[in-house]
Amino acid sequence: MISEIANAIFPREVNAGVATVHLTDDGQELTMRFPEHVQVAYRSATVRAVVSTVGDGFSRQFKLPLP
Amino acid sequence: MKITRSLSNDGTLCPIALNYLGGIPEKYVFFREQQQRHPASIYNLSLDKLAKAFAAVIQEYVRDTTRFSVEPNGGFDINVLLQAQEHLLHCLQEHLDDCYLILKTLVDPAKTTARAIAANEYVVDSKLPGAKSFAQATDEYRGSLTIVNKLKHNQGRLRGYGIYPGDGIYLGYFLEEPDKDGVVGPSPEIHPNQGAFSFARDLRWRFSWSILGSWSKQSSGLFGVSIKPLFQVVLRHNRRPTIGTDSSE
């Protein structure tokens, strides 16, 4: 399953390198390469972000991650 | 670095460490005296738990990627996925502890004065050859699990994050805790660049790391390719014959 995950990585991670995992169709051979530098083409020049959080009943100020 | 495992050559897709551990004659380990399982069994059970934890996260990740492929009108709730991820992080921490249990089975309790309950302290106190180098080799791995300490001891919370770059959602998460000004957000220690972790990178990175211990070629960790030198040191120290292992990697 892990070999089927797409390169849906965030822009800030592109330069950090990724690991690639490949399992052959017959399930006989597993290959891992790391660190690998991938090129990710983002279709849009801008991105919109969604975030989930839960209030703690006191905090009023929140920071959100940057893409 | 490239690592390949095949059923035809290796007999298993699991890390090569499993081959080495399975090849140690029982008389050279002290698992019974230590009231532990055989080291190969410890590793096997640990990998099994890890595999299930990874599978649970991936299953939820795929489901939520489909569920939120179009921007939600309001609710963005990936709590089940985050719970699975938190469980995985704890399992990764346990895996390191399990590896120390494996080292413990190499210590003859009749020949050590060590009494520490924690296996990592026990093997170091016992001056087990290779224990220090193992600790050094897994420094990076341990460092990557600082997030677990934050979850356990500092009320850190995993929060969901996603971006829409034009072809569906890219899901991720971050550890939320207050910064020095009391503002709640991405942990400055875990996310120094203020970015979240994408599941796509995090899962594969942690999967590879859990098998190898480190991306460093100098790694002499218990995990993966370099377990052989560690066991050779231990066995030489005990003046026993080296174990027969394959050397394909």
Side-chain angles (χ1 to χ4, degrees):
Chain A
M1 289 175 80
I2 205 158
S3 63
E4 295 166 8
I5 296 175
N7 278 330
I9 66 174
F10 296 153
R12 281 176 180 256
E13 298 176 314
V14 170
N15 292 328
V18 299
T20 56
V21 182
H22 177 70
L23 181 68
T24 53
D25 288 342
D26 58 7
Q28 292 285 308
E29 191 169 284
L30 177 73
T31 303
M32 292 185 297
R33 294 175 189 270
F34 52 89
E36 286 247 289
H37 290 280
V38 294
Q39 289 190 325
V40 183
Y42 298 100
R43 289 195 182 178
S44 172
T46 58
V47 299
R48 284 187 295 276
V50 288
V51 65
S52 70
T53 188
V54 178
D56 59 16
F58 187 83
S59 301
R60 294 280 185 271
Q61 287 183 296
F62 296 90
K63 280 183 183 173
L64 301 180
L66 301 173
Chain B
M1 184 181 277
K2 176 185 169 188
I3 301 294
T4 300
R5 300 286 289 158
S6 75
L7 290 178
S8 55
N9 290 337
D10 307 305
T12 174
L13 299 182
C14 290
I16 196 168
L18 196 59
N19 297 60
Y20 295 143
L21 292 170
I24 304 177
E26 287 190 10
K27 60 182 177 180
Y28 298 144
V29 291
F30 305 94
F31 62 97
R32 291 197 181 88
E33 294 88 336
Q34 296 283 9
Q35 289 187 276
Q36 299 295 334
R37 299 172 192 269
H38 186 279
S41 299
I42 296 174
Y43 199 53
N44 218 0
L45 288 179
S46 194
L47 288 178
D48 183 58
K49 189 168 182 179
L50 264 185
K52 285 174 179 162
F54 270 111
V57 176
I58 294 167
Q59 185 178 330
E60 293 303 325
Y61 168 73
V62 170
R63 184 178 300 169
D64 281 345
T65 297
T66 303
R67 194 157 65 101
F68 293 106
S69 59
V70 177
E71 280 186 66
N73 246 342
F76 172 65
D77 179 357
I78 59 170
N79 272 338
V80 177
L81 170 59
L82 294 175
Q83 284 167 14
Q85 177 67 14
E86 184 165 341
H87 176 65
L88 170 62
L89 291 169
H90 285 290
C91 287
L92 288 163
Q93 177 74 62
E94 276 181 37
H95 185 59
L96 187 59
D97 297 337
D98 291 341
C99 289
Y100 273 106
L101 272 188
I102 290 170
L103 292 183
K104 188 176 179 180
T105 65
L106 300 175
V107 177
D108 182 352
K111 294 181 180 175
T112 179
T113 56
R115 292 292 176 266
I117 293 174
N120 60 331
E121 294 172 14
Y122 181 87
V123 296
V124 172
D125 291 350
S126 299
K127 297 183 171 48
L128 178 73
K132 277 189 180 174
S133 62
F134 173 74
Q136 289 166 358
T138 51
D139 261 356
E140 272 184 285
Y141 181 89
R142 194 178 300 105
S144 77
L145 295 171
T146 303
I147 191 170
V148 180
N149 290 333
K150 297 270 189 186
L151 287 166
K152 286 167 71 175
H153 306 301
N154 206 41
Q155 279 211 331
R157 292 290 184 267
L158 296 188
R159 302 304 189 200
Y161 188 70
I163 66 169
Y164 288 90
D167 55 348
I169 192 167
Y170 291 8
L171 283 170
Y173 71 96
F174 63 99
L175 183 91
E176 181 190 78
E177 66 175 0
D179 67 9
K180 60 181 173 53
D181 298 316
V183 179
V184 175
S187 163
E189 191 177 343
I190 304 297
H191 307 280
N193 69 355
Q194 297 182 59
F197 296 150
S198 68
F199 280 102
R201 179 175 185 272
D202 193 72
L203 284 172
R204 290 184 297 190
W205 175 64
R206 292 193 187 279
F207 179 79
S208 303
W209 220 344
S210 63
I211 289 176
L212 296 158
S214 170
W215 281 2
S216 162
K217 288 181 181 176
Q218 285 75 42
S219 167
S220 57
L222 176 60
F223 320 87
V225 293
S226 49
I227 189 173
K228 185 177 176 182
L230 173 64
F231 275 86
Q232 283 179 333
V233 168
V234 171
L235 294 169
R236 267 202 307 274
H237 178 79
N238 290 340
R239 296 185 180 180
R240 286 166 176 156
T242 52
I243 54 176
T245 55
D246 91 41
S247 56
S248 58
E249 296 185 47

